[in-house]
Structures are given as C-alpha cells and as structure tokens.
Amino acid sequence: MDDISFFRKPEQGGWCVAEIIEHLFISDRTGLFAIVRKTLPAERNPLEIIGLLEERSKTSDLKIQAPEAALPKGIFKTREEAIAAWKSNREKVLEKVNPENIWMLAAGFEHPKLGILTAAEWMLFMCWHCEHHLPQIERCIK
C-alpha cells in the first residue's frame, strides 16, 4: 500500500488506514502507561474482562465511540512512520510486562470504557482492539 492509499479517506466515511493505526497506537500507549506505572493486588477475578471482549468479538459491526483522547489527530506523515511507531510501542509493552505482576491491577492508567484492568487484561484488550479494527483496515484497502 502506498502513502496515498494509506491516507485516503474511505468513500463510505470513517477513518483512513493512517487514522486507524494512529488510534491503535494511542490506545496501546495508554496500555503501556497503565502497565508500567503502578500495580495493585486485584480484589476480583483478574481476567474479568475476557467475557466482555469475547461478547464484543461476536458482533462484527460493533461500533464504539472512541474517547476524545484516543481520536486520531494526524500525527503521522508517512505510512512507514505510523507502522514503525505502532510496532515500537508494542515491543515496549512486551518488554515491560512483568510475568510476576500480570494478574495485578495496572492502576497507573484507567481504560476510559472498561475501568482499571489487570496487566493481563490490558494485553488481551490490545489484541482484541487490533482484531476489531482489522476489518475496517481491510475495507479501506479494497
């Protein structure tokens, strides 16, 4: 995909691929902040969010309004820059996740829709969120 296609808005409206990648980058960066800042013991099932994400996965046309802070603002100028930033952040997440505290609440930053998540739940959310946006990227590419 060239830069022109990467930044081209879909005819049916919505975000272009660059904006989707930026949104995922912003969201993943929030997860990274949550995981590395502060952890607390969980007083609930540390994988409570899995059921909600599984339910959301069953709805292929699910639309959830992104919070203002996670809306794309056009920070990337090239396709390579956008993809490199997203990949670099994902690598930092993998480096920072501590297997000893993965079941603890990642209380450093609260998810705007799901609340305080465990480090494991943040990881699961990041995977689900990326999968959720893949069909949107595929529609842009066609």
Side-chain angles (χ1 to χ4, degrees):
M1 170 179 269
D2 60 18
D3 276 358
I4 293 170
S5 301
F6 192 74
F7 289 95
R8 182 181 302 123
K9 289 279 210 180
E11 290 178 11
Q12 67 274 21
W15 293 340
C16 65
V17 176
E19 290 167 322
I20 298 166
I21 299 295
E22 181 180 349
H23 168 70
L24 291 171
F25 169 74
I26 293 166
S27 180
D28 284 5
R29 191 174 52 190
T30 301
L32 176 62
F33 291 157
I35 290 167
V36 299
R37 282 178 131 181
K38 181 180 178 183
T39 56
L40 299 170
E43 295 179 8
R44 61 176 172 80
N45 178 340
L47 291 175
E48 193 173 285
I49 301 299
I50 286 180
L52 175 63
L53 296 177
E54 286 174 350
E55 277 303 308
R56 288 182 175 183
S57 294
K58 294 175 186 174
T59 309
S60 60
D61 59 345
L62 178 70
K63 292 190 188 249
I64 300 171
Q65 178 61 44
E68 182 69 31
L71 293 175
K73 294 156 188 67
I75 64 171
F76 300 122
K77 303 304 175 218
T78 68
R79 178 178 56 89
E80 290 81 11
E81 177 188 5
I83 293 169
W86 179 77
K87 281 184 174 180
S88 174
N89 191 74
R90 277 284 172 108
E91 288 168 4
K92 287 176 189 170
V93 169
L94 293 174
E95 288 171 14
K96 298 294 183 185
V97 170
N98 180 349
E100 294 173 16
N101 74 358
I102 199 160
W103 305 116
M104 295 180 74
L105 293 176
F109 208 92
E110 187 172 333
H111 187 280
K113 305 267 188 199
L114 301 172
I116 295 179
L117 306 175
T118 64
E121 288 169 336
W122 269 108
M123 298 291 291
L124 291 167
F125 171 77
M126 285 184 246
C127 292
W128 171 85
H129 193 219
C130 192
E131 290 289 322
H132 171 71
H133 283 287
L134 277 178
Q136 189 180 7
I137 291 171
E138 289 167 356
R139 284 191 300 272
C140 289
I141 293 172
K142 290 181 181 176

